[in-house]
Each structure stands twice: as C-alpha cells, then as structure tokens.
Amino acid sequence: MEALFRPLRTLCEQEEKKLSQLGQQRSETQQRIDHIQQQKDIIAQMQVQYGQYPTQTANPLLLQNTANMAQILAPMQKNLTRQQILLTQEHQRINGMWRKQLGRQQGIKWLYQKKQTERQTYLDKQEQKQLDDLAGRYAAAY
C-alpha cells in the first residue's frame, strides 16, 4: 500500500526542492540589490564631498579635478540605478514564482498528509474490525 503514496511523496519532495531553489535565487537577488544600493550610497557620498569644496578659495587644478570626478561619478550612479531597477524587477518576478511555488508545495504537502491520515484511519478500522471479530469468536466459544 506504501507504493500508492510513493509518487505523491516524491512529488512533495520535488516541490520542496523547487521552493528551496527559488528561495535561494530570491535571497541572492536581494543581496545583489542591497550591494548595488551600498555602491550608490558611496558614490552619492563622494559626490557630496567633491561638491563641498569652496569655489572661491580653490585653485584651478582642484576645480578641474572636482569637475572631472563629477563627470566620472554621474554615469556610474546612472548605471548602478539602471542595474538596480533591472534587479528589482527580476527579484519581483522570482518572488512571484516563489509565492506560487509555496502555495503549490503546501497544497501537495496537505494532500499527502490527508491521504496518510485517511490511510491510517482505514488501517485502524480494519484492525478494530479484526479485534472485534476475534472477540466475537472467543465469546461464542466460551
């Protein structure tokens, strides 16, 4: 009778594995998003620092360096923002897949447990019936 539950148990294990893989992907994309945000924060801090130099007392070389840094940092910031947007979209897609998989996995797990409970109830009734039959025979014999 265990052979009847084997395919369902195997399916349940497969669904748990898929859920685990999607959870791992979900965590990885969130970590990458957080890392990009940290990079963006560092660049923004650098932009503020380079922009704080007083223009009246600074020499021309310092002003040129500040302008060059601003020209370098702005595209970096823009590129990181674009990467962050794409990763956020990917994270949302994976999160949606994870949620669907979670529902599927929980449904299959519930079905498996329900079938096991029904089977155990059936076996318990069969055993009780056998005990009742034996008790009836024993009582009839004496």
Side-chain angles (χ1 to χ4, degrees):
M1 201 53 145
E2 183 63 29
L4 294 174
F5 292 110
R6 197 170 297 133
L8 191 55
R9 184 177 59 223
T10 302
L11 181 61
C12 191
E13 290 169 358
Q14 289 172 346
E15 296 303 316
E16 286 177 1
K17 186 176 179 181
K18 288 178 189 176
L19 182 65
S20 175
Q21 289 171 343
L22 286 170
Q24 181 68 27
Q25 288 177 347
R26 189 174 140 213
S27 296
E28 288 171 0
T29 56
Q30 185 59 53
Q31 289 173 351
R32 288 172 44 204
I33 290 169
D34 294 343
H35 181 69
I36 287 175
Q37 184 58 50
Q38 290 172 350
Q39 290 176 329
K40 284 176 59 179
D41 292 344
I42 290 170
I43 290 174
Q45 191 176 30
M46 289 173 69
Q47 287 173 327
V48 168
Q49 287 174 346
Y50 276 99
Q52 289 177 346
Y53 292 118
T55 56
Q56 293 84 8
T57 59
N59 63 39
L61 185 58
L62 183 59
L63 292 175
Q64 182 62 41
N65 285 344
T66 301
N68 288 342
M69 276 306 277
Q71 288 176 345
I72 291 171
L73 292 176
M76 289 173 67
Q77 182 89 3
K78 188 176 181 179
N79 187 30
L80 287 172
T81 299
R82 187 175 57 61
Q83 287 179 14
Q84 188 178 30
I85 289 169
L86 292 173
L87 272 175
T88 300
Q89 290 171 345
E90 177 68 8
H91 180 72
Q92 290 171 345
R93 185 185 70 80
I94 290 172
N95 191 44
M97 289 170 44
W98 181 84
R99 288 178 184 275
K100 286 179 185 177
Q101 185 63 31
L102 177 64
R104 179 177 167 81
Q105 182 267 338
Q106 287 178 337
I108 291 171
K109 187 174 182 179
W110 174 84
L111 179 62
Y112 177 67
Q113 290 172 343
K114 181 181 177 207
K115 292 294 182 185
Q116 278 187 318
T117 303
E118 288 173 356
R119 176 70 179 144
Q120 189 60 48
T121 302
Y122 172 76
L123 292 174
D124 291 346
K125 286 181 181 180
Q126 289 296 104
E127 183 180 2
Q128 187 62 46
K129 182 180 175 186
Q130 288 175 354
L131 290 174
D132 290 346
D133 288 346
L134 283 174
R137 287 184 197 157
Y138 182 74
Y142 291 101

